[in-house]
Amino acid sequence: MTGQTEMLIGQISGRVVIRENFDKEGDFLNKQTFEAGETIKENGYYEIKVVTELFDKNKQSTDKYTTTYRCEPDDANVMIMAFPFSKPKSKETEINTISENFKKLYDLQNLKDIKLEMSFDSGLLNFFGSKSIIKIYDRKLEAGKNTIKSKINIKAYAWGIRIKQFNYTVIEKLNEKGLLTFQKFSEADNSYFTINYK
């Protein structure tokens, strides 16, 4: 892994990712933690093991499981999108993607609209269906800061039928090394979730 691909998969490799969900009044609903191992190359694929733990509104653990995510080297950059939008519970999940400009997702000098088609081969219907089409647009860098504001539209499909659609306004913060530290995804009704990277 080199260059931009390494940076993007490095957003989660060896890190702990914490997602917290809030309702439209800002009240805490629940959270998920994702503890990612280091990325390894296995049989021509990149693989990363992630331990997921789910917590209820009282912050009590309700479930814990390990998933191995696998993707081809050209698709390694898409790993960063897997965590906000998928909750497959199978032992292994293969992610396939068709995208334009995705390897330049965090090129702060040249923020472009991104369109991404992602499919999950997990053997089970996951949270967003078996295929998602994601559009990231209106991307703007906040002056003098490593903060990106954008909008995301996600259409989820199962068996070729659109089953869900989501629209978010997104704020993303990166550190001086270009690694994500924080994301906030807000819906029109003011409900939102945050993702912290440690």
Side-chain angles (χ1 to χ4, degrees):
M1 294 183 294
T2 58
Q4 193 76 1
T5 299
E6 182 177 38
M7 188 274 284
L8 285 165
I9 204 165
Q11 295 285 4
I12 58 166
S13 183
R15 299 179 80 186
V16 175
V17 180
I18 301 165
R19 171 179 166 162
E20 294 184 307
N21 303 290
F22 300 86
D23 67 17
K24 59 187 178 182
E25 273 80 42
D27 293 329
F28 178 83
L29 295 174
N30 54 49
K31 78 173 183 177
Q32 299 91 39
T33 62
F34 307 93
E35 189 171 339
E38 296 295 334
T39 306
I40 59 169
K41 192 166 185 179
E42 188 76 33
N43 298 323
Y45 286 84
Y46 289 137
E47 290 188 356
I48 189 166
K49 284 190 179 179
V50 179
V51 177
T52 302
E53 190 164 7
L54 310 180
F55 298 85
D56 64 19
K57 65 180 181 180
N58 299 314
K59 300 188 179 179
Q60 299 296 312
S61 178
T62 59
D63 200 2
K64 188 174 184 178
Y65 54 90
T66 301
T67 303
T68 300
Y69 291 88
R70 183 174 74 170
C71 59
E72 292 187 21
D74 287 346
D75 294 341
N77 52 79
V78 84
M79 289 298 297
I80 192 167
M81 294 297 290
F83 291 92
F85 305 123
S86 66
K87 295 198 293 188
K89 200 169 176 178
S90 60
K91 298 270 187 204
E92 294 188 6
T93 297
E94 185 171 339
I95 300 169
N96 298 297
T97 178
I98 301 168
S99 63
E100 296 176 16
N101 300 326
F102 200 78
K103 288 186 180 181
K104 297 181 180 177
L105 182 61
Y106 293 109
D107 179 354
L108 300 182
Q109 309 305 316
N110 189 21
L111 293 173
K112 293 184 177 180
D113 289 355
I114 307 290
K115 186 174 180 184
L116 171 69
E117 182 177 313
M118 195 185 322
S119 61
F120 301 88
D121 180 15
S122 62
L124 295 170
L125 184 65
N126 78 19
F127 178 65
F128 264 75
S130 54
K131 183 174 88 170
S132 296
I133 295 176
I134 300 167
K135 183 181 177 187
I136 308 170
Y137 60 101
D138 286 351
R139 305 180 72 221
K140 296 176 180 68
L141 185 64
E142 203 168 85
K145 299 179 183 176
N146 283 357
T147 301
I148 302 169
K149 291 185 177 179
S150 59
K151 294 180 180 175
I152 295 182
N153 170 263
I154 302 163
K155 294 176 182 174
Y157 295 83
W159 305 291
I161 301 167
R162 191 176 83 199
I163 55 172
K164 294 181 185 177
Q165 177 165 302
F166 300 86
N167 290 290
Y168 296 103
T169 300
V170 184
I171 296 171
E172 299 179 283
K173 295 182 180 180
L174 294 88
N175 65 18
E176 64 283 351
K177 295 179 182 177
L179 293 177
L180 279 167
T181 59
F182 175 81
Q183 293 172 304
K184 181 179 179 181
F185 295 75
S186 302
E187 294 192 64
D189 68 355
N190 292 324
S191 62
Y192 66 95
F193 64 89
T194 61
I195 303 177
N196 285 282
Y197 296 77
K198 302 190 181 291

